[in-house]
Amino acid sequence: MAREIELKLVLGESAAQRLAAHPRLAGLSARRETLINSYYDTPAGDLQRQRVALRLRRTPQRILQTLKTAGEGSGGLSSRGEWEWPVSEQALDLAGLAALPPMQALGRDVLLALEPRFATDFARTRWLVEDAEATIEVALDQGEIRAGQRRVAIDELELELKRGAPSELWRLAEALAEHVALRPANASKAARGALLCDGRRPTLASAAELRTATPRQRCDLAIAALDALSDSGERECLSRAREAFDSLADDTSLTTAIRQPARRLIDALAEPQWLTPSFGQHSLALLAALDAR
């Protein structure tokens, strides 16, 4: 088992073009490939309930089977267990899966009921950013998630830590946000695909949940609402995000370093084109201030 530590960021309109020209990436060689992915679960969604993701990925060179456990973290940063190995055909290696602890915990009936549920097909562009402090893979993914006739777009950036401290992911994100419209996101492709497959509306936090949440949890509730907005387009998601940020901006027990960027984010969400470089900068400033509490 490997441990994957990554920071997920959603990109704004036309941000991908600006990303490639960013000073941290412009001088680096880029590797491009098309990735075809099938995600598996039982008809009852047993893996999704345990926040386990299982996929077969076809690359230009081979087919990989990957099992990922639930991520730990917030604000777009996650750390999770990952098992990955090559398979010879577009079919699950059930024997290999049966040997893994997450599948053993779910039981043989779940293993035998696995079937394709949705697909994610996208073009990935990778850069490797290295300095004395860290090595970080920057992966730009552009494509779509498909479940039957339903479609949602993929336009995101993943910063994966290969060497160094997780804080280096935030440092690189802050540098990218100086020129590129982006925001932290918590919803994985697997979680988005499961919602799309089932045709379910996103679950938004209630007012009671917001009142009892910690400041960091309130920020994550805002991020979750914006993640839901990206796929559903429902205006209620935007309202819930503003409410969550408002609960931080109006909380007099919090420092100005927290309240001020939260207020800036509320103001930005009133604009039709709210996902700008400024929005990303204030989002990252808010998360940094919350971490410093």
Side-chain angles (χ1 to χ4, degrees):
M1 184 190 76
R3 199 75 187 171
E4 179 188 66
I5 301 174
E6 71 175 22
L7 178 61
K8 184 181 291 292
L9 304 161
V10 169
L11 295 178
E13 187 176 349
S14 303
Q17 290 82 356
R18 301 195 69 178
L19 178 72
H22 191 280
R24 293 298 302 271
L25 302 180
L28 302 177
S29 61
R31 175 186 169 191
R32 297 176 178 85
E33 58 185 351
T34 298
L35 303 177
I36 309 299
N37 308 274
S38 295
Y39 281 78
Y40 289 74
D41 202 343
T42 66
D46 292 277
L47 269 61
Q48 174 60 21
R49 273 198 298 277
Q50 298 300 317
R51 297 178 62 207
V52 173
L54 171 63
R55 74 171 183 235
L56 286 180
R57 166 170 287 175
R58 182 181 292 275
T59 76
Q61 295 80 30
R62 56 184 175 168
I63 302 173
L64 294 171
Q65 180 166 293
T66 307
L67 184 75
K68 295 188 180 186
T69 60
E72 302 170 359
S74 65
L77 183 68
S78 65
S79 173
R80 55 190 173 184
E82 178 183 73
W83 293 263
E84 186 168 80
W85 66 101
V87 295
S88 58
E89 57 183 343
Q90 190 71 28
L92 291 177
D93 171 13
L94 295 179
L97 284 172
L100 303 181
M103 294 306 301
Q104 290 174 348
L106 288 167
R108 184 168 177 78
D109 288 345
V110 168
L111 185 72
L112 296 177
L114 294 170
E115 64 181 25
R117 298 288 284 163
F118 58 90
T120 67
D121 299 340
F122 53 89
R124 169 167 286 179
T125 305
R126 307 176 198 248
W127 298 265
L128 199 63
V129 177
E130 297 184 273
D131 59 24
E133 303 299 327
T135 300
I136 298 171
E137 182 184 84
V138 178
L140 168 64
D141 293 343
Q142 294 180 292
E144 65 178 11
I145 303 173
R146 302 192 323 275
Q149 298 303 310
R150 303 185 184 99
R151 303 279 194 278
V152 291
I154 297 171
D155 199 358
E156 66 184 32
L157 198 62
E158 293 178 352
L159 310 183
E160 184 176 349
L161 188 68
K162 301 296 187 181
R163 174 183 60 86
S167 58
E168 294 301 313
L169 295 175
W170 295 112
R171 189 165 68 90
L172 178 56
E174 289 166 357
L176 296 176
E178 292 175 6
H179 303 279
V180 178
L182 53 79
R183 66 169 181 84
N186 285 327
S188 67
K189 295 181 184 72
R192 294 173 65 198
L195 280 175
L196 190 69
C197 183
D198 296 339
R200 287 183 285 133
R201 297 177 70 251
T203 301
L204 301 175
S206 66
E209 289 174 310
L210 189 59
R211 284 194 299 270
T212 59
T214 66
R216 186 58 185 257
Q217 288 170 338
R218 284 179 252 164
C219 187
D220 276 324
L221 291 174
I223 291 173
L226 294 178
D227 289 345
L229 175 68
S230 295
D231 287 347
S232 71
E234 296 183 3
R235 297 291 298 178
E236 183 184 2
C237 299
L238 190 62
S239 297
R240 294 298 180 86
R242 295 188 69 184
E243 288 169 7
F245 287 135
D246 196 54
S247 72
L248 295 170
D250 288 346
D251 189 340
T252 56
S253 69
L254 300 176
T255 64
T256 301
I258 294 172
R259 298 175 65 197
Q260 188 173 70
R263 179 59 59 191
R264 297 287 186 271
L265 293 171
I266 296 166
D267 293 341
L269 289 174
E271 300 297 327
Q273 300 297 325
W274 53 267
L275 185 45
T276 63
S278 177
F279 189 92
Q281 292 162 24
H282 292 312
S283 297
L284 293 170
L286 174 60
L287 288 164
L290 288 167
D291 281 345
R293 290 180 75 240

